[in-house]
Amino acid sequence: MKHQLDSEGIPTLAVALSDYLKTADVRKLAALTKEKLPTGKDDLAAVVIRHLAGERLRTVWQGLDELQRAAVAEVVHSESTQFPAERFHARYGRDPNWGSDSQYECDRRPSALCFFFYRSVMPDDLKERLRTFVPPPVEAKVKILDQLPPTYDVPFERWNPQQRTRDKGIEKVALTIHERERAAQREALSVLRLVDAGKVAVSATTRRASGATMDAITAILEGGDYYPRVPPKNEWHDESAGPIRAFAWPLLMQAGGLAQISGTRLQLTKTGRKALFEAAAGTIRTLWTKWLDNKILDELSRIECVKGQTGKGKHGLTAVSPRREAVADALAKCPAGGWVSTGEFLRFIHASGNDFAVTRNPWNLYIGELQYGSLGYEGGSLFLDERYMLGLLLEYAATLGVIDVALIPPAGARRDFHSLWGTDDLPFFSRYDGLMYFRLTPLGAYCLGVESGYQSAPPEAKQVLRVLPNLEIAAVGPDLEQGDRLALDVYATRVSDLVWRLEEGKILVAITEGRTLEEIREFLASRSSAPIPGIVARLLDDIAERSVKVRDCGLARLIECADAALAALIASDVRTRKHCMRAGERHLVVPASSEAAFLRTLRDVGYVLSAGVAVDKSKANRQPAAAKRPV
């Protein structure tokens, strides 16, 4: 009998019985046929083979229960002959009946399912015959919620100094919903403009933004980052999650080819400059697609409590792109608009066959200390896979508006990791532990390729505001949500806790930051309990008309000539005139997109550009010499 399976599997049923089962195991299997049993192993094997011959195989299969037939179907309609135990349990919630189990081998009794599997492998000849009549298994589906509960039940365990006992219970923590579809598109434009202004400093080595830069990005994010800073209790206990969206945006811009490092700061590429004037949805889709394939960052590195990632543990880490693709493929199968718990999504990843592993060797990754805190101990590596998934979803998918998210503070949100050595003092395993639910957005369906086109969803209609003729906006009733308050703070100036006033300057600033007048109108119309007054409509129409009269045509270079005659010569020459325009008597303006062509044709005219050399104004009125000279 062979003790190890061949890599090619098991070719036939006869080989399975003769080479991979003991005589006692063949006898137990043959006993299920109810025939009179011979004594020799070969004769016992012949009984089993005869029992599964011809149409009898269908009869035996029909005698299985529903879960056992599903186990057969999973292998028959897959590329492998190995039974997928973990995926099966994730999909069906329990294991099929393999027979009675016992710590003593002699007491174990197989079920009829064991006619089809030998050491969890289905023989090739059986698989071919079963394929002719076994229907495919049901497709794995993710369970969705139409509506979220207002709170999330978090188990707690605290030391009671009076009773000198550990109190256990359930604490209800309010869920905070972040709707990201529209906000992500505006934030992308804001970050592009921040890069264009030269205010995004990054490390040339790690390509990560500096602390001051992340503070500047946080200031332009709608409502700030996901979590506000929490003052640390002491130097050993800090419950602040730190920047998440502010950390992700500069990396996304670099991975998407919209920005590149110049010295210590990012500058826009031609693609990035073009994105300033294109629909944000297309830019978001590009950023998501490029992120799936980039190698700028392994999201696991953001889980700082896991040590060894830059040491021996680095060699065991798997490639990042297949991990991201596995999560993205499962995400694409989630119906848009339905809330999914992160626990259910992880189950669905396994059930749908999109399994991934962060590392091939978790023994060199550890918490605190390698000898005792290694994640190679039973169950340790599972925490890596789940937290990696949470990080990808919250820091990148949600930042780009692919999903909306429902969060609670990460500290104490999940206690499962406390079973690991060295984690007693950790407030959370990762800053992403507070992600409890997410919802695929229409923008996300477009980015994932589920939908071929994208149309921005209209704002939800709620009668919670009243727009007055004096340009004031008053809240009606107590149902004004925090998201609506933040939106009003963008469009109008707050007069009191429940009253805002529309101001032209405030609206113009909002337009500069990526808002549109149509979006402002939709917001007010969908939330107003009465028609918009005419004076307000006229104000918005007037601003809309004036907001398109001055247009940004991109960056340009200002060229100073020695005299007006030379400027006129270059601006009128057939070779250079289409790449520049006059700006005063002695200056030319060259668009950034035409700069290379201008410099090339300038040489054809007989001049070169003097980089950084100021013109001597005392010589500005002299006649140009006959010889060629710099501009």
Side-chain angles (χ1 to χ4, degrees):
M1 186 188 78
K2 293 184 179 180
H3 294 283
Q4 291 186 347
L5 285 166
D6 295 330
S7 58
E8 296 82 8
I10 303 176
T12 64
L13 174 61
V15 170
L17 292 165
S18 63
D19 292 357
Y20 295 100
L21 292 186
K22 297 178 181 179
T23 301
D25 294 327
V26 178
R27 179 176 288 107
K28 292 176 184 178
L29 197 58
L32 298 177
T33 67
K34 305 301 182 181
E35 292 187 26
K36 185 177 180 180
L37 301 183
T39 56
K41 182 177 181 180
D42 291 343
D43 294 333
L44 289 168
V47 172
V48 176
I49 293 172
R50 188 167 57 249
H51 186 66
L52 300 177
E55 283 298 310
R56 294 179 182 179
L57 180 64
R58 184 196 292 263
T59 302
V60 175
W61 175 79
Q62 289 174 337
L64 300 176
D65 62 35
E66 184 177 354
L67 200 62
Q68 290 173 323
R69 288 198 294 269
V72 173
E74 288 288 342
V75 176
V76 168
H77 294 280
S78 71
E79 296 180 358
S80 174
T81 55
Q82 179 81 34
F83 176 71
E86 292 185 6
R87 188 176 77 216
F88 188 90
H89 191 278
R91 178 174 292 193
Y92 298 94
R94 55 196 176 102
D95 298 323
N97 177 19
W98 294 98
S100 63
D101 197 8
S102 173
Q103 61 177 323
Y104 302 108
E105 187 176 354
C106 60
D107 292 337
R108 297 173 189 166
R109 293 291 180 268
S111 71
L113 182 59
C114 296
F115 281 124
F116 301 89
F117 294 98
Y118 301 83
R119 294 195 187 177
S120 299
V121 175
M122 181 179 289
D124 295 340
D125 61 341
L126 274 186
K127 183 174 179 177
E128 287 299 319
R129 293 170 58 197
L130 288 165
R131 188 175 288 150
T132 61
F133 60 83
V134 173
V138 295
E139 185 177 355
K141 294 184 178 180
V142 63
K143 299 175 183 177
I144 63 171
L145 298 173
D146 294 330
Q147 190 172 4
L148 287 180
T151 60
Y152 189 87
D153 293 342
V154 178
F156 69 84
E157 183 176 343
R158 305 189 187 100
W159 173 252
N160 187 327
Q162 286 78 25
Q163 301 293 330
R164 302 185 64 81
T165 58
R166 299 198 70 85
D167 295 338
K168 296 181 180 180
I170 297 294
E171 182 179 9
K172 293 186 177 296
V173 180
L175 281 166
T176 302
I177 298 175
H178 293 263
E179 296 184 345
R180 296 292 307 147
E181 181 179 3
R182 289 171 176 260
Q185 297 176 64
R186 294 189 288 264
E187 288 178 5
L189 184 59
S190 297
V191 174
L192 282 171
R193 287 175 172 155
L194 202 64
V195 172
D196 196 26
K199 296 182 179 180
V200 179
V202 298
S203 165
T205 304
T206 65
R207 302 173 76 170
R208 301 185 181 191
S210 66
T213 293
M214 284 190 276
D215 289 341
I217 294 175
T218 301
I220 66 171
L221 298 179
E222 299 196 9
D225 219 323
Y226 295 121
Y227 298 110
R229 286 180 176 173
V230 179
K233 295 181 180 179
N234 51 58
E235 59 180 312
W236 301 283
H237 192 87
D238 187 355
E239 296 186 354
S240 288
I244 297 179
R245 299 207 310 276
F247 177 89
W249 274 120
L251 293 172
L252 288 165
M253 293 296 170
Q254 295 174 75
L258 304 187
Q260 61 188 9
I261 298 177
S262 177
T264 61
R265 298 184 180 275
L266 290 184
Q267 68 176 11
L268 293 183
T269 62
K270 289 184 178 179
T271 304
R273 196 163 303 287
K274 187 179 178 182
L276 284 169
F277 309 101
E278 294 183 336
T283 300
I284 294 288
R285 187 179 190 182
T286 298
L287 292 175
W288 172 254
T289 304
K290 293 289 184 68
W291 183 257
L292 295 182
D293 292 329
N294 91 89
K295 297 180 181 178
I296 289 178
L297 176 90
D298 185 342
E299 292 88 348
L300 183 66
S301 65
R302 290 278 282 159
I303 305 177
E304 289 92 349
C305 70
V306 177
K307 308 302 181 183
Q309 297 185 50
T310 57
K312 290 183 179 180
K314 181 179 180 180
H315 303 296
L317 296 179
T318 58
V320 291
S321 293
R323 294 185 228 150
R324 295 171 184 151
E325 289 288 352
V327 177
D329 288 346
L331 198 58
K333 296 175 183 176
C334 296
W339 288 100
V340 181
S341 74
T342 51
E344 166 63 13
F345 185 61
L346 185 63
R347 180 205 69 81
F348 178 66
I349 286 177
H350 296 313
S352 58
N354 288 305
D355 302 74
F356 66 92
V358 168
T359 179
R360 295 179 294 271
N361 181 16
W363 286 102
N364 290 323
L365 299 174
Y366 57 93
I367 308 292
E369 196 272 331
L370 178 59
Q371 181 178 357
Y372 298 104
S374 172
L375 293 173
Y377 292 109
E378 185 176 359
S381 61
L382 298 179
F383 293 99
L384 296 179
D385 299 340
E386 181 182 26
R387 273 17 182 236
Y388 177 86
M389 176 199 75
L390 295 178
L392 180 60
L393 291 177
L394 183 57
E395 195 156 80
Y396 299 96
T399 294
L400 290 173
V402 173
I403 57 174
D404 298 327
V405 290
L407 310 176
I408 63 175
R414 301 171 189 265
R415 299 190 53 83
D416 53 356
F417 66 93
H418 286 299
S419 61
L420 301 175
W421 186 92
T423 61
D424 291 344
D425 295 330
L426 294 179
F428 46 72
F429 194 85
S430 77
R431 56 175 49 85
Y432 318 113
D433 281 13
L435 175 57
M436 296 302 170
Y437 300 93
F438 69 85
R439 174 176 61 188
L440 184 66
T441 65
L443 176 61
Y446 173 63
C447 292
L448 292 164
V450 177
E451 299 292 342
S452 58
Y454 171 72
Q455 184 175 1
S456 180
E460 180 185 358
K462 297 182 294 184
Q463 295 184 351
V464 293
L465 299 175
R466 188 174 186 87
V467 184
L468 305 174
N470 63 353
L471 303 184
E472 288 187 346
I473 302 172
V476 179
D479 298 329
L480 191 64
E481 297 179 354
Q482 182 63 21
D484 295 333
R485 293 176 180 272
L486 291 174
L488 284 171
D489 287 340
V490 171
Y491 304 139
T493 300
R494 186 176 294 212
V495 177
S496 68
D497 189 50
L498 296 176
V499 178
W500 287 259
R501 181 176 178 80
L502 287 171
E503 293 181 355
E504 180 180 304
K506 191 84 171 180
I507 296 174
L508 289 173
V509 170
I511 294 173
T512 304
E513 293 176 347
R515 309 273 180 166
T516 65
L517 263 299
E518 188 59 33
E519 182 181 332
I520 297 173
R521 286 194 185 96
E522 286 182 1
F523 174 81
L524 294 178
S526 64
R527 283 157 173 73
S528 178
S529 59
I532 304 299
I535 189 172
V536 175
R538 287 192 295 272
L539 172 66
L540 297 178
D541 289 341
D542 180 58
I543 295 174
E545 182 180 356
R546 287 186 281 116
S547 66
V548 296
K549 289 186 178 293
V550 181
R551 189 165 62 93
D552 185 354
C553 294
L555 294 181
R557 174 169 287 193
L558 183 65
I559 307 295
E560 184 181 23
C561 299
D563 49 58
L566 181 57
L569 172 66
I570 297 172
S572 60
D573 191 281
V574 68
R575 290 163 290 187
T576 53
R577 66 186 182 189
K578 59 184 176 182
H579 303 304
C580 65
M581 63 189 74
R582 292 288 295 273
E585 289 188 358
R586 295 189 301 107
H587 291 85
L588 302 171
V589 174
V590 179
S593 58
S594 301
E595 185 176 339
F598 173 77
L599 295 176
R600 184 177 61 254
T601 54
L602 184 63
R603 291 193 297 269
D604 296 338
V605 177
Y607 294 89
V608 293
L609 189 65
S610 300
V613 178
V615 175
D616 186 349
K617 295 186 178 180
S618 65
K619 302 178 182 178
N621 294 323
R622 297 182 183 179
Q623 294 296 321
K628 297 177 182 179
R629 60 197 173 117
V631 176

